[in-house]
Amino acid sequence: MSRRSETDAAASAAMLSAAAMIAHQVGGKATRDALFLSNFDVTSLPLMLIGASLFSIVVVLAASRAMPALTPAKLVPGAFAVSGLLLLGEWGLVHQSPRAGAVVVYLHMAGLGAVLISGFWSMVNERFDPRTAKKRIGKIAAGATLGGLAGGLLAERVGATLSVAAMLPMMAALHLFCAWAVLKLRPLQAVAGPLAGKLAGKPTAGKKDSSGDSAPEPGRSVFHILREAPYLRNLAVLVLLATVSSAGIDYVFKAQAAATFGGGESLMRFFAVFYSAASLLTFFIQTSLSRRALEKLGLAKTVGTLPLIVAAGGVGALLAPGLVSAGIARGAESVVRSSLFRSGYEILYTPIPAQEKRATKTMVDVGFDRLGDALGGGIIRLMLLLGPAAAHSAILTLSIVLAFLGLLVASRLNRGYIASLEKNLLNRAVELDISDVQDSTTRSTILQTLGALHLSSDPLVPLSLQRASGEQSQRKNLLVQKSASELPSPGMPRDVPQGKQPTVAPGSQDPVLEKISAFRSGNPGRVREALREEISDPLLFPHVIPLLAWNEVSGDALLALRQAAPHMTGQLVDALLDPGQEFAIRRRIPKVLSFTASQRAADGLLLGLADKRFEVRFQCGCALASIRDRNPEIHIDPEPVFEAVQREVTVGKKVWGTHRLLDPEEGLEDSPFIDDFLRDRANRSLEHVFTMLSLVLPKEPLQIAFRGLHTNDEHLRGTALEYMESILPPPIRERLWPFLEDRRKKKREARSREEILATLMRSHQSIELNLTEIRKQFENSRKSSGIA
């Protein structure tokens, strides 16, 4: 089986495993709660919570020791199998002794459920490289969502037709299936080559780790790692506070549910519907808002949404007591915890090397969460001494207070995370590809740090990181020593004490170093001032290219790069064609290359016509047209151009009509077909096709034909269509024609291409007159409707 087939099979197995695992989780929670509340009074729930938490902590400690030693690929399949067999035993126990069975099922769900989910995602992370994972993770998440809905529906139907205990063998079957399916997620041997080891922060076989002390120390404990990463301690405290506060809301919710539905099957049906709805909302938030929150809010604020929503839900449940308000508060907490909070939470482990991450993540992710459950259960048990009515108000009040403390802790995460990430990037403890980074905090830190890394002479390091590091030289070594620790980072909080703000060493006389300091300062004024000077030194190029992504200074960077473009064409082409490069940079690079008028630039732009993003392709086409105008001697091979046109016209009408430019003004001054009037009337896809055709076909007739297609005179449009029909290769013509709305009569007199061209050229003046008339009508219409 080929590597691609194995990857496809592994992705399918991951999707099915996720579906079965989350179906078990959702159905299992409904079964667990219904079994316990059917056999015990709700006031016993805090004690059960304490016992389950302590048991879970023991399991987590064992898993955190076993995970690095055995690896998830060996541990997780066996754990799923054991869980499935235990559930079958618990099924028999529930029939023999319902109360004992309810306790054992509760312990099982608390102790193994979260550990198995964490282990599954560890297997996914280690099986797929970052780029593949980025492509496949959506399908895996979709499988998990469908599984959650299926699990909830299954529990609801079982509750309606059978008994609560009947869910247990079904849950066992789901985990036994997971045990078989996750075997396909074991890492390929070929993956463990030199580059894989390098990117995992490990020394490669037969080669000493060049990072020296940065390799993970096998004897380091979880608590030692936490001591060295203060922000992870803050994260652990945040998890603890959030769980304690959530435990209060969860208790009030379940007490209200038990009082409303009693016990047995009706209670399980309610919990099944509740957990299914929460799972569906989680998927919606995860897919529609999580990435936007990470981009706009950054890590700390995204993680801080959890204590914020707990506080808001607690206030609502306190002001309007009842099942509805408690359900909304509990549901909102569950949704945000599994979506926004989880998105930021996972990224906070970025600076931790893979081997240490396995143990640390399990401890913080599950251990501190269960410790919070234990503390929450103890606090709730004490407050129940006040009586049910008073206890509920006291529990909610404490939850609100703890949530606000959690907000305070979350606000301190950003600074520590940035410092730790910079340190580990510099000492090579972790390696990152910026194309896999979603949040603004990590991206800005990487951009500030990569320039200081000794990467460009290392053949095992990805090309995108080599370019970001600049040229290797003695001068660059000076830059490494100074810029890594002294240059300010745009991601750094503005309230850093004055004495601790990083600055370039006083008295530095190196003008290149001073310019780099300005480019990396995050100060638009300093950046613009530095860009006004010549940037001919190659060491400056890697620091100027990223400025194209910063809208505030992108225009200045564009002008500066155009002057230097003849000396850095190779770097610009590499950045353009690198799919890991930021989209904002890649869509602006063609506007730089358009001023080089060199064959090398034209060849790179020609390859850019195959990019996945329409705006990159559009800008490459405009740049090629501009280069061809500047230097008619440039050779452009017709075959790849026609292939690019063929790709453009094979899309559906919906996609064809929705192509837009993020920067509407960019590229239009270079377009050979658009003027101020046609700017708002022309279809961008059609304009791009004509631009590409003008590279290999006579340009002037194409310009006239393009303008003729936008007239309201059917005769003039017909002439334009007839010309296009005569010059286009049949495969392109057949695909393009549905987009051109040919309303001519089918029976037409056949004419030679020369006659059609002559007619088109004679129609030029009529086309311009018609467009002028349309423009006047349009302007009069705007005036009459009161539009300025």
Side-chain angles (χ1 to χ4, degrees), residues 247-323:
I249 292 178
D250 182 63
Y251 173 80
V252 173
F253 164 65
K254 289 177 179 175
Q256 295 284 1
T260 303
F261 293 97
E265 287 73 23
S266 60
L267 186 60
M268 187 172 84
R269 293 180 66 189
F270 168 75
F271 282 133
V273 172
F274 175 82
Y275 289 128
S276 296
S279 177
L280 184 61
L281 283 173
T282 296
F283 177 72
F284 173 76
I285 298 295
Q286 182 73 34
T287 54
S288 61
L289 295 180
S290 290
R291 180 155 190 162
R292 188 178 304 175
L294 288 168
E295 287 283 355
K296 301 296 183 182
L297 301 180
L299 276 178
K301 291 181 180 178
T302 301
V303 171
T305 54
L306 178 60
L308 180 64
I309 207 70
V310 169
V315 170
L318 192 61
L319 295 178
L323 179 59

Side-chain angles (χ1 to χ4, degrees), residues 443-444 447-448 488-491 494 515-531 543-559 561 581-589 663 666:
R443 183 183 297 113
S444 63
L447 287 173
Q448 296 306 309
S489 165
R494 298 297 183 187
K515 282 187 179 180
I516 292 174
S517 171
F519 294 150
R520 292 157 53 93
S521 68
N523 184 321
R526 285 191 64 193
V527 172
R528 291 194 191 96
E529 184 178 353
L531 287 172
H543 299 277
V544 180
I545 292 176
L547 296 177
L548 290 172
W550 186 2
N551 290 337
E552 198 166 351
V553 299
S554 61
D556 302 271
L558 193 67
L559 294 175
L561 286 170
Q581 186 63 265
E582 284 198 61
F583 170 56
I585 295 175
R586 294 196 301 115
R587 64 187 168 91
R588 286 168 176 159
I589 283 178
D663 296 321
E666 289 193 7

Side-chain angles (χ1 to χ4, degrees), residues 60 114 117-118 239 243 337 341-342 345-346 349 359-370:
V60 168
I117 292 175
S118 180
V239 170
T243 304
R337 179 186 287 270
F341 175 78
R342 177 61 59 180
Y345 176 88
E346 295 293 341
Y349 287 97
T360 309
K361 187 175 184 299
T362 303
M363 174 60 72
V364 177
D365 197 6
V366 185
F368 278 84
D369 185 71
R370 293 297 178 259

Side-chain angles (χ1 to χ4, degrees), residues 138-177:
K139 291 183 179 180
I140 299 174
T145 302
L146 292 175
L149 293 174
L153 180 62
L154 177 64
E156 193 277 332
R157 287 292 85 200
V158 169
T161 57
L162 299 173
S163 65
V164 176
M167 269 297 293
L168 294 174
M170 300 180 190
M171 292 164 56
L174 289 171
H175 264 193
L176 290 173
F177 172 79

Side-chain angles (χ1 to χ4, degrees), residues 677 680 773-783:
F677 175 62
D680 298 324
E773 183 62 29
I774 295 175
R775 183 186 295 110
K776 289 180 180 178
Q777 293 174 4
F778 178 70
E779 291 173 352
N780 291 335
S781 175
R782 288 171 60 90
K783 290 178 181 178

